[in-house]
Amino acid sequence: MNKEYLVKLVKPSKNSLLLFILGLSTVFLFAPFYLFFLGFFIFPIFALILFRSKSILKFYHYSLYFFFGFYFSNFYWISFSFLTNQNYLYFFPLVFFLIPILLALSSLLLITLLPYIKFKYKLNLAEFYFFFCFFYFLHEILRSKIILFVDLQGLPWNLIGYSFFNYPALVQSASIYGIYGLTLIAIYLFTLPLLINHLKKFKYFILATLLIIPFFIILTYYGNYHMSKKLAPKNANFLISIIHSNIDKHHGYNQNIIMDNIDKLINNINVSRQSNLAIFAEGIVPHVTSEDYNPIFDYIIEHTAHKYDNLIISSPRAKLAGEYKFYNSMFLINNQKKISHYYDKTNLVPFGEYNPFFRSIPSLASQSGFSEGNKTKSLLNITNEVAAIPLICYDGIFSGSFSQDGDFLLNITNDIWFTKKFFSFNLSVAPWQHFDLIRMRAIEEGKPLIRVANYGISAATDSFGRILTKVTHNDSDKVVQIDLPQKLAEASIFNQYRNLPIYLLALAIILILAIYLTQTKKTRL
């Protein structure tokens, strides 16, 4: 790319600044704002400016500014992780701007066929509407699977379908086709006013309104029907203790601070009722567990005697296989005070838990950080009747990537890295968004969610994602106890087939659009 081309790509213009603001505005579609109606302004304007672009360069130019705004407002909190350690403060301003730029360039490449098709086939507005919506939907799937320049894991954070989350009935259709299907519907609905803007006739406003309203009626009707479905028989007397913690400063691996934090949580446990399962948040025990032994585990067990039948604690796990490998792990300690099961996190945070660039360099592979867990080791059998699907932090944002069995989703997380306050004002939207991403899995799978967070949102939901109890990082440390909610009596459609139907639909749409372009080529070229 020559210098002149690069200057034209990044030099601001009136439209590009507008698109940057629209990209920034997308953050208000999601938690904790839920202003989903803004989508009916953001996406038609974005699509209209792209449609009116006079060249492929302009198309990329406008797209770059929109995506930069999107990633800047939706991912600014990632840089907060560099504020938890004084040694990394100088990375903060660099990461604050660099990550949105990197992700924007990645998105630009993921939609690269759209401008080619627009100009080669001279699409009219109605045609561009369908192609734009589909390619944006395809972009959402692709960015969920791959981060160009970084790794093949993807970043499915704030897919457009999550914007409906504040309306429980609207999101229940995810039990059929998951978050990707909901995203497809959201993009086509949000962008529909594009046709009104172009035609500028009142009758088209009426027509578009008549097209949009039935979709919401259908989604609402199905949602209410789905939430009336029969639940599985209740597991009698299975009481869960959610041990919520609000440790807002990193311990710096200071032994005294670590033990003081643990003692506070133990005191909360000891004044609560005895439970079948007690769950600690991620990050409470930083000491490595080796050969199924961890001294802090023993300390916790000794000082919480007879307050639980089973205990969930997380810590790094060391395994010697020629050389040491380390895993971010969750341990189940049974009523014989022994580790009966463990789960190693399978979806690791790039740069936070591993360095993707180091993995491609053999001499640096050992410095890459944590290793990925075995994806087949995906259930924690707590009793003969109750099994949990373990999800550590980042694991839960990946739709359909864990066991289809089990009775409930068990998510532990440590959101201290991405949560900051200025006096009493929360600067980060991450805790609320992270929680919504996880509870979407409850809707998809038709299973309740138990979530335990440090400096985030601890909660329990039913099998429809509705919140039964919730504690946030604005509350003090406490133990919340709840009977295990029931899963659906019959597995959801999504649980049975996962994302296969939506992938097949995407392939079918690609085929239809390819045939359409082939047929129109003869008359336009």
Side-chain angles (χ1 to χ4, degrees):
M1 181 182 295
N2 60 48
K3 184 178 179 180
E4 182 181 355
Y5 189 91
L6 183 60
V7 168
K8 289 181 179 179
L9 180 64
V10 300
K11 186 178 180 180
S13 66
K14 182 179 178 180
N15 280 338
S16 61
L17 291 177
L18 171 61
L19 287 172
F20 174 69
I21 293 171
L22 290 176
L24 289 176
S25 301
T26 57
V27 71
F28 295 108
L29 299 175
F30 309 106
F33 310 105
Y34 299 114
L35 303 178
F36 86 95
F37 62 86
L38 291 178
F40 291 106
F41 299 93
I42 293 170
F43 285 93
I45 295 173
F46 178 35
L48 183 62
I49 292 176
L50 292 184
F51 177 72
R52 290 177 174 174
S53 60
K54 302 300 183 182
S55 67
I56 289 180
L57 177 61
K58 274 294 184 182
F59 193 103
Y60 283 141
H61 170 81
Y62 294 143
S63 299
L64 180 63
Y65 273 85
F66 178 85
F67 285 125
F68 178 60
F70 174 86
Y71 288 116
F72 189 83
S73 65
N74 285 274
F75 293 88
Y76 67 92
W77 45 264
I78 292 178
S79 59
F80 289 171
S81 60
F82 292 92
L83 299 177
T84 58
N85 189 317
Q86 296 293 324
N87 295 325
Y88 300 118
L89 286 178
Y90 55 88
F91 281 113
F92 171 76
L94 178 66
V95 173
F96 190 70
F97 292 103
L98 183 61
I99 287 181
I101 292 172
L102 180 68
L103 293 174
L105 290 172
S106 179
S107 284
L108 209 61
L109 292 176
L110 293 177
I111 64 162
T112 193
L113 282 178
L114 179 57
Y116 170 79
I117 292 173
K118 173 191 178 299
F119 290 102
K120 180 177 177 59
Y121 293 93
K122 301 176 183 178
L123 301 181
N124 61 38
L125 186 76
E127 292 168 333
F128 183 74
Y129 163 75
F130 285 102
F131 277 90
F132 168 83
C133 292
F134 177 71
F135 272 90
Y136 200 100
F137 159 69
L138 199 60
H139 152 267
E140 292 286 81
I141 292 181
L142 291 174
R143 78 174 177 92
S144 300
K145 303 298 180 182
I146 180 174
I147 306 176
L148 294 177
F149 320 118
V150 178
D151 66 15
L152 299 178
Q153 180 176 254
L155 186 59
W157 193 283
N158 279 5
L159 302 176
I160 303 303
Y162 286 110
S163 59
F164 291 152
F165 219 128
N166 202 38
Y167 306 89
L170 291 181
V171 294
Q172 296 304 314
S173 60
S175 63
I176 302 174
Y177 39 63
I179 184 59
Y180 295 145
L182 202 58
T183 294
L184 177 65
I185 290 173
I187 293 169
Y188 272 98
L189 286 178
F190 283 154
T191 314
L192 192 58
L194 167 69
L195 303 179
I196 306 169
N197 184 288
H198 182 71
L199 296 169
K200 298 180 180 178
K201 292 184 179 180
F202 183 73
K203 66 179 180 180
Y204 293 109
F205 173 80
I206 299 297
L207 177 62
T209 302
L210 293 176
L211 287 173
I212 292 172
I213 290 177
F215 275 98
F216 284 105
I217 292 175
I218 292 169
L219 290 175
T220 301
Y221 176 81
Y222 174 79
N224 290 323
Y225 161 75
H226 180 69
M227 288 186 289
S228 67
K229 284 186 176 180
K230 184 178 179 181
L231 300 175
K234 187 176 181 62
N235 288 295
N237 302 319
F238 195 88
L239 185 67
I240 296 176
S241 294
I242 296 172
I243 306 170
H244 177 76
S245 52
N246 259 346
I247 302 168
D248 60 353
K249 293 183 180 179
H250 194 272
H251 46 68
Y253 299 99
N254 182 299
Q255 183 71 18
N256 292 329
I257 296 175
I258 292 170
M259 296 313 297
D260 284 345
N261 291 336
I262 290 174
D263 284 338
K264 291 176 184 177
L265 299 179
I266 287 174
N267 290 336
N268 286 333
I269 294 174
N270 287 335
V271 297
S272 60
R273 289 182 294 159
Q274 182 176 352
S275 60
N276 299 93
L277 178 65
I279 309 166
F280 282 84
E282 181 192 20
I284 301 301
V285 180
H287 288 260
V288 173
T289 300
S290 182
E291 302 296 333
D292 288 343
Y293 176 74
N294 190 310
I296 298 184
F297 287 5
D298 281 356
Y299 180 86
I300 293 172
I301 292 168
E302 178 184 347
H303 289 80
T304 56
H306 309 301
K307 298 303 295 188
Y308 56 84
D309 295 327
N310 296 277
L311 180 65
I312 294 286
I313 314 180
S314 72
S315 85
R317 185 178 74 88
K319 179 182 179 181
L320 182 60
E323 60 181 21
Y324 272 107
K325 287 188 174 182
F326 294 91
Y327 301 87
N328 186 354
S329 303
M330 178 191 302
F331 297 88
L332 173 64
I333 303 172
N334 62 21
N335 53 13
Q336 282 78 44
K337 318 307 178 191
K338 301 292 184 183
I339 295 175
S340 57
H341 298 281
Y342 66 85
Y343 163 76
D344 298 325
K345 187 177 181 181
T346 58
N347 296 286
L348 303 176
V349 180
F351 303 108
E353 293 177 311
Y354 78 100
N355 190 318
F357 300 136
F358 281 13
R359 285 187 175 179
S360 61
I361 305 173
S363 62
L364 296 177
S366 62
Q367 302 177 40
S368 179
F370 286 117
S371 297
E372 293 179 0
N374 184 349
K375 293 183 183 294
T376 61
K377 194 178 183 66
S378 54
L379 280 181
L380 292 179
N381 295 303
I382 300 169
T383 69
N384 291 334
E385 294 80 28
V386 179
I389 303 167
L391 302 169
I392 300 177
C393 186
Y394 202 59
D395 277 331
I397 74 172
F398 293 90
S399 175
S401 63
F402 41 83
S403 176
Q404 293 168 278
D405 301 319
D407 299 288
F408 69 101
L409 305 172
L410 171 57
N411 176 234
I412 61 172
T413 188
N414 181 15
D415 284 348
I416 184 177
W417 302 102
F418 308 115
T419 307
K420 294 296 173 191
K421 287 185 178 181
F422 182 72
F423 294 101
S424 60
F425 180 74
N426 293 304
L427 297 176
S428 176
V429 295
W432 289 280
Q433 292 177 356
H434 195 188
F435 176 50
D436 273 3
L437 268 64
I438 302 299
R439 66 185 178 120
M440 180 63 79
R441 307 290 84 80
I443 298 171
E444 291 174 339
E445 303 293 333
K447 295 175 183 178
L449 165 69
I450 303 295
R451 187 174 197 257
V452 185
N454 174 58
Y455 209 56
I457 297 176
S458 299
T461 78
D462 63 12
S463 298
F464 310 108
R466 296 176 298 193
I467 299 170
L468 302 175
T469 185
K470 181 175 73 172
V471 190
T472 77
H473 51 293
N474 295 318
D475 302 308
S476 58
D477 297 348
K478 63 175 66 177
V479 176
V480 177
Q481 295 184 306
I482 187 170
D483 288 324
L484 177 63
Q486 301 151 270
K487 64 180 180 180
L488 289 182
E490 295 184 7
S492 69
I493 294 174
F494 182 86
N495 176 262
Q496 297 176 62
Y497 300 103
R498 295 297 175 86
N499 287 305
L500 179 61
I502 204 70
Y503 292 156
L504 293 176
L505 175 62
L507 289 174
I509 294 175
I510 290 173
L511 181 61
I512 292 170
L513 293 180
I515 294 172
Y516 179 82
L517 290 176
T518 302
Q519 294 300 316
T520 58
K521 181 177 181 181
K522 299 175 183 178
T523 60
R524 298 187 185 178
L525 301 179

